[in-house]
Amino acid sequence: MQVSLPYALTAELTHRCPLRCPYCSNPTELQKRENELSTDEWLSVLEQACELGVVQVHFTGGEPLLRPDLELIVRRARDLGLFVNLITSGVGLTEERVRKLSDAGIDSIQLSLQAASAELADSIAGFKAHELKRQAARRIREAGLALNMNVVLHRGNLHQLEDIIELCASWGAQRLELANTQYYGWALRNVNELLPRSEQLKQAEADYVRASERFGQQLELIWILPDYYEDFPKPCMGGWGKLSLTVAPDGRVLPCTVSSEIRSLSFENVKQRELAWIWHDSPSFNAYRGYDWMAEPCRSCERREQDYGGCRCQAFLLTGDANAADPVCTLSPHRRVITDRIKSIEAGESRTPNYAYRGG
Ligand code: SF4
Ligand code: FES
């Protein structure tokens, strides 16, 4: 089978984080500091990724600013000619660190936000972070760096959507990703607290359209669909092992950030294997390439080349079988897992959420 080359690397430098968001996409079993790759190991990962064809790297976590060697790692990535993006909560982004990152050649910083009002944002993050984020946004802008922002949307903050967009515009963001929660890891654990009602989602979509008309000229808005409310799944990651790869804090190489949750697969580690071998030849990366692995209804479905049967992680987490069709699909025999969940949310009383905050 012809294997394409990856263009993007997600480098999870650490799982440690001061925030405790209940929708965190990190796995529920977080890696400890003592298991993290060393500076030299990360530099080797970058060199190997570059040789493999990667052209952009996203440094993320947890909170990557907790690594004191971040600037050194960023500098090496830039020296290798990679486009470098940092995904951060903004906590710890002092003036000195912004200057060092800028000196190291960073191309873009993506700052997360939890809500428009400080009170709500801090209660979602489980940490008083909102004011620190406002300061971080100002420092990024004053350093002349591109400010991108992202907000995970859910039942607890969708009502603030227009205010969120207005706030990000006022902080000087150029691009804002409005990501309706995807239910893996901590988010799946909190799904009953996070999943919005269809009525609320309809209202939010109308708010989004109105805000796009007001702010669309100055702020690029990206709306990531709430897939539980779709009829067909997304082509997750643009296909398994097709466009990108993730290196976890402990060196395991994953087709996507969530895939360590697929217990039926085991993943190779850069401490033992070359990245190129892992990409081209490892059983985990080859597990869901092409179409031969598919079961019905995907195997004979005319949409299989558009969505690749949806998300493998979601299939595993909701059905226990990573080869199954993504249950978001209305043709899936497991679609009831989704519809029952939506029905129970619709039938439930409105109440204050009782989040299981992420640990670590
Ligand atoms: Fe996609 Fe499979 Fe559903 Fe067809 S049956 S739309 S390939 S998930
Ligand atoms: Fe892993 Fe979709 S999140 S394949």
Side-chain angles (χ1 to χ4, degrees):
M1 185 201 320
Q2 182 79 15
V3 174
S4 56
L5 295 176
Y7 80 90
L9 165 69
T10 299
E12 288 184 336
L13 297 179
T14 179
H15 279 161
R16 291 173 288 135
C17 187
L19 275 63
R20 302 170 58 221
C21 307
Y23 49 72
C24 181
S25 62
N26 286 165
T28 44
E29 267 175 50
L30 296 162
Q31 287 297 329
K32 297 210 172 0
R33 181 186 201 144
E34 56 267 30
N35 296 334
E36 291 175 10
L37 293 184
S38 67
T39 310
D40 283 347
E41 284 166 332
W42 276 116
L43 299 183
S44 167
V45 166
L46 292 173
E47 282 154 22
Q48 293 182 58
C50 208
E51 278 167 27
L52 189 55
V54 163
V55 295
Q56 57 177 252
V57 56
H58 303 277
F59 290 115
T60 183
E63 175 47 68
L65 288 162
L66 288 173
R67 293 271 313 211
D69 53 0
L70 175 64
E71 290 83 350
L72 199 155
I73 294 171
V74 166
R75 186 177 292 275
R76 176 63 64 88
R78 284 298 294 132
D79 288 348
L80 288 164
L82 297 169
F83 177 91
V84 179
N85 180 38
L86 173 70
I87 301 168
T88 175
S89 68
V91 176
L93 197 59
T94 58
E95 268 177 39
E96 191 193 358
R97 291 211 80 178
V98 176
R99 183 180 46 72
K100 283 187 179 163
L101 286 166
S102 173
D103 290 349
I106 198 155
D107 292 288
S108 141
I109 300 186
Q110 186 174 331
L111 180 67
S112 65
L113 185 80
Q114 276 67 25
S117 71
E119 192 189 359
L120 180 61
D122 292 344
S123 79
I124 292 169
F127 185 84
K128 264 184 118 33
H130 191 76
E131 172 56 20
L132 301 174
K133 286 169 186 279
R134 190 187 61 76
Q135 294 171 14
R138 178 177 52 75
R139 290 175 185 141
I140 294 166
R141 297 280 295 126
E142 284 175 0
L145 293 166
L147 171 64
N148 297 318
M149 295 188 68
N150 72 290
V151 182
V152 176
L153 298 172
H154 48 86
R155 190 160 83 232
N157 66 3
L158 271 170
H159 63 286
Q160 290 196 349
L161 182 60
E162 257 187 297
D163 293 341
I164 288 171
I165 296 171
E166 187 168 353
L167 186 73
C168 293
S170 75
W171 284 6
Q174 298 175 0
R175 185 175 187 274
L176 170 59
E177 219 171 81
L178 298 159
N180 283 283
T181 305
Q182 309 288 309
Y183 295 98
Y184 321 116
W186 293 91
L188 186 58
R189 190 177 279 193
N190 282 296
V191 60
N192 293 331
E193 311 301 314
L194 296 169
L195 190 65
R197 294 195 171 82
S198 55
E199 214 27 61
Q200 189 188 14
L201 210 47
K202 247 185 244 152
Q203 178 62 48
E205 278 164 354
D207 295 346
Y208 169 71
V209 170
R210 223 178 13 255
S212 305
E213 284 159 11
R214 272 177 75 200
F215 297 103
Q217 296 294 327
Q218 68 180 101
L219 180 58
E220 183 192 354
L221 295 173
I222 318 284
W223 176 258
I224 297 175
L225 290 169
D227 71 349
Y228 274 30
Y229 284 94
E230 300 295 310
D231 291 336
F232 294 106
K234 56 190 179 292
C236 200
M237 305 304 297
W240 181 270
K242 235 180 152 122
L243 304 174
S244 62
L245 72 167
T246 294
V247 177
D250 62 343
R252 274 174 307 155
V253 186
L254 310 170
C256 75
T257 54
V258 185
S259 50
S260 61
E261 305 255 18
I262 303 182
R263 303 289 174 202
S264 49
L265 291 180
S266 63
F267 297 95
E268 310 287 342
N269 194 303
V270 286
K271 290 180 186 166
Q272 280 99 36
R273 289 285 197 168
E274 295 288 316
L275 206 56
W277 182 87
I278 298 174
W279 176 263
H280 287 286
D281 299 316
S282 67
S284 56
F285 270 79
N286 282 317
Y288 302 114
R289 282 183 171 138
Y291 305 100
D292 291 349
W293 57 270
M294 286 180 170
E296 293 296 351
C298 298
R299 180 174 278 272
S300 56
C301 177
E302 60 186 21
R303 292 180 60 93
R304 69 179 199 173
E305 287 172 38
Q306 287 168 51
D307 65 25
Y308 314 108
C311 175
R312 293 307 85 223
C313 299
Q314 187 145 270
F316 179 80
L317 289 167
L318 297 186
T319 74
D321 177 7
N323 291 56
D326 184 332
V328 159
C329 180
T330 41
L331 303 173
S332 157
H334 299 283
R335 171 73 190 187
R336 274 195 62 179
V337 182
I338 306 268
T339 41
D340 286 355
R341 195 156 268 161
I342 292 174
K343 268 191 213 150
S344 99
I345 298 294
E346 302 282 6
E349 299 279 304
S350 285
R351 56 174 174 79
T352 311
N354 180 21
Y355 301 131
Y357 287 98
R358 72 156 253 177

